[in-house]
Amino acid sequence: MLIEILEKRNAELTAQVTDLSDRLARLERAVSRNSGNSGMPPSADDLPGKTPPVPKPKRGDGKRRQGKQRGAPGAHLAWSENPDNTEPLFPEGACGCGRDLADAEDLGVTASHQVIDTPAVTATVTQYDGHAVACACGKVHVPAPPAGAGEAGTVTYGPNVQAWVVFLLVMHHVPVERCADVIGALTGIRPSDGFVHSMIARAAKAVRGAGMLIRALVITASVLCADETPLRVGPGPKTRKKYLLVACTSLLTYYFLGGRSMKTFDAFVFPDLSAAVLVHDRYQNYDAIPGVLHQLCTQHLLRDLEDAAQSYPDAIWPGQAADALRALIHAANTARDKGLAAAPDDAIAADLVLFRNAVRVGLSEVRRVPGAKSKQKPGRMLLECLQGRENDVLRFLTDLRIPPTSNQAERDLRPSKTQQKISGRLRSETATRNRYAIRGYLDTARKHGEPVITAIRSALAGNPWMPPLPA
């Protein structure tokens, strides 16, 4: 009887130890998450209790200097052969001999200096007086009011002030009150907070037509990057968070605010895609989109391999797979720079062998947890993905139009995180949708080389910039 009691108690303690060991493993894994082995942002690496990422190996000989690198585009103050203004400078005062230098002989220019500056901005009030004229036939004609003017007898802010407001609010995340203060400091007139806030809705309405065209061009693109990020939207701390989705190319940006459910994905551009290649992380909803090909983001895969290297410190396969994948990405970039359509077989053959062998070894070392419904280890899930979805992992080698990473989408989403850090949350869903409708329009204009301020001013004047149609 006593033995049975002890055996039962021993079994209970063993189960408890197993459960606590699993909980400890999960907690240790959560604490070890950083920007080097997960999707966490680098800004969270120095939070209390966080394990910093392993330093990346230095490129080349490790002596690369900081700042601009060789071959990268630079910026400098270039000498202008045709300056806007030329002002002669002459010595003033008297010579040591007592003669006035104003009467001295001009010997010509000995030195020139160019200074680039902007004129001091001061708001001016312009009154437009509309005159009625009578034709000889007796018909009376009146002129149209200037663009952006309100009703007769009212005062409005002009397109330049409006464009600066939208520029500061949307592109630089300046809060409403501070935006009004900045405009006041720059121009001498401080608009009301209500006017500043109202410009979000007004600008969103002005770019609606351009946004529809951008959406259509995104749908017809052959290669798209996609991503999503959580966003705090709505009043109060208990408001359920939303997700900001983006579908983009190097020339187009289109946003959508919703959830992270398949319902939101179906309401976005995804159901309208046909035979496009979608570059994304391994979030399951992307795999449920019909009619598209996939390119899994290799940057996410490399972070997962770094996580595997830390989880299995004695294993060789994580490092070998990561090194081979980086070499394949380099080979694709080199071939793209040469204008090739695909990476040459002879340039990737050896690294493909290394990559596949690393995956096979990993699968032999990291066994599946028994049971059809058992949760598998992250390392095992990664290896099964690398083997079972090799075409989706390495598709960028066969078509160099396909980027190996979804970095473009992450770059287009990054401003939303900056906005959230500044404001904490966006209080209105409607205003947030309007904000990112404007942002998508301006990002697309910027990618095409159009000055952002010009694009805003044109839209507010009723003539928005439109992206060119593909040839």
Side-chain angles (χ1 to χ4, degrees):
M1 187 68 179
L2 180 60
I3 294 177
E4 292 178 357
I5 295 175
L6 292 176
E7 287 178 346
K8 182 180 178 181
R9 181 57 178 164
N10 186 51
E12 291 174 352
L13 291 174
T14 301
Q16 187 177 5
V17 169
T18 302
D19 180 62
L20 290 174
S21 298
D22 291 340
R23 292 177 61 185
L24 178 61
R26 290 195 298 270
L27 289 172
E28 288 179 340
R29 176 176 172 79
V31 172
S32 68
R33 300 304 81 196
N34 54 53
S35 62
N37 56 24
S38 71
M40 292 187 63
S43 59
D45 286 341
D46 59 353
L47 293 177
K50 283 293 181 182
T51 303
V54 177
K56 295 181 179 180
K58 295 183 178 179
R59 300 178 183 177
D61 57 4
K63 297 181 180 179
R64 190 179 72 163
R65 62 183 178 86
Q66 294 181 347
K68 178 185 173 299
Q69 302 302 307
R70 187 184 301 276
H76 66 286
L77 293 176
W79 187 267
S80 175
E81 298 298 333
N82 299 294
D84 298 307
N85 297 299
T86 301
E87 294 187 9
L89 296 177
F90 290 95
E92 297 178 351
C95 179
C97 67
R99 294 184 174 86
D100 190 351
L101 292 179
D103 300 326
E105 179 184 0
D106 184 359
L107 301 180
V109 176
T110 58
S112 296
H113 312 269
Q114 289 188 350
V115 177
I116 299 176
D117 202 357
T118 59
V121 179
T122 303
T124 58
V125 179
T126 303
Q127 179 172 313
Y128 295 90
D129 294 326
H131 291 257
V133 296
C135 180
C137 69
K139 190 174 182 179
V140 177
H141 299 265
V142 294
E151 297 293 331
T154 63
V155 181
T156 57
Y157 290 111
N160 289 332
V161 174
Q162 295 180 28
W164 273 106
V165 168
V166 176
F167 178 72
L168 292 173
L169 285 175
V170 176
M171 298 302 290
H172 293 281
H173 326 296
V174 180
V176 169
E177 183 178 358
R178 194 178 303 168
C179 176
D181 291 340
V182 171
I183 297 295
L186 290 175
T187 66
I189 53 116
R190 185 191 186 282
S192 69
D193 295 354
F195 167 79
V196 171
H197 189 269
S198 71
M199 285 307 304
I200 295 282
R202 191 180 306 182
K205 183 178 179 180
V207 305
R208 187 173 299 162
M212 295 173 63
L213 178 57
I214 293 170
R215 185 184 191 279
L217 293 175
V218 165
I219 290 172
T220 58
S222 58
V223 180
L224 281 175
C225 292
D227 201 4
E228 74 290 330
T229 190
L231 204 61
R232 292 191 291 272
V233 178
K238 295 184 179 180
T239 301
R240 185 175 180 180
K241 66 182 177 183
K242 298 290 184 179
Y243 277 83
L244 183 67
L245 281 69
V246 67
C248 60
T249 69
S250 60
L251 292 175
L252 303 167
T253 304
Y254 190 70
Y255 295 104
F256 186 79
L257 183 69
R260 210 185 183 200
S261 64
M262 201 63 213
K263 182 179 179 181
T264 295
F265 275 58
D266 288 340
F268 196 27
V269 297
F270 299 133
D272 298 320
L273 301 180
S274 177
V277 178
L278 200 59
V279 187
H280 59 84
D281 54 20
R282 289 186 288 156
Y283 182 50
Q284 59 187 6
N285 283 4
Y286 293 111
D287 294 330
I289 300 171
V292 299
L293 298 175
H294 303 273
Q295 167 63 59
L296 302 183
C297 176
T298 55
Q299 185 62 47
H300 286 77
L301 295 174
L302 287 170
R303 289 199 292 259
D304 291 342
L305 286 169
E306 175 62 29
D307 174 41
Q310 295 176 15
S311 299
Y312 309 100
D314 297 328
I316 297 175
W317 64 265
Q320 179 175 319
D323 291 342
L325 185 55
R326 289 190 184 96
L328 292 170
I329 295 171
H330 178 71
N333 292 338
T334 302
R336 188 182 299 106
D337 292 340
K338 294 179 179 179
L340 302 179
D345 291 341
D346 58 344
I348 63 175
D351 293 309
L352 275 176
V353 172
L354 289 171
F355 179 78
R356 289 166 178 164
N357 287 344
V359 173
R360 291 192 191 99
V361 171
L363 288 170
S364 68
E365 294 181 357
V366 184
R367 298 292 186 176
R368 287 187 65 86
V369 178
K373 297 184 179 180
S374 298
K375 185 176 180 180
Q376 301 299 320
K377 297 179 180 179
R380 178 71 193 192
M381 298 297 293
L382 172 63
L383 288 164
E384 291 182 359
C385 171
L386 295 179
Q387 185 181 65
R389 302 188 65 179
E390 183 180 288
N391 289 338
D392 293 342
V393 173
L394 303 178
R395 195 176 302 278
F396 67 92
L397 295 173
T398 57
D399 186 349
L400 296 182
R401 296 175 305 166
I402 304 172
T405 72
S406 59
N407 288 353
Q408 179 66 64
E410 293 194 355
R411 284 194 293 268
D412 287 346
L413 284 177
R414 191 168 296 131
S416 67
K417 311 310 290 184
T418 304
Q419 171 74 57
Q420 187 165 269
K421 288 180 181 178
I422 294 172
S423 301
R425 70 171 54 248
L426 296 166
R427 296 185 60 82
S428 166
E429 286 190 32
T430 300
T432 302
R433 288 191 172 91
N434 289 339
R435 180 184 295 272
Y436 285 101
I438 303 166
R439 180 87 202 193
Y441 163 75
L442 295 179
D443 266 0
T444 301
R446 177 184 55 80
K447 290 178 178 180
H448 281 82
E450 183 75 9
V452 172
I453 284 289
T454 302
I456 300 173
R457 188 187 299 113
S458 298
L460 293 172
N463 185 32
W465 172 88
M466 292 289 186
L469 298 179

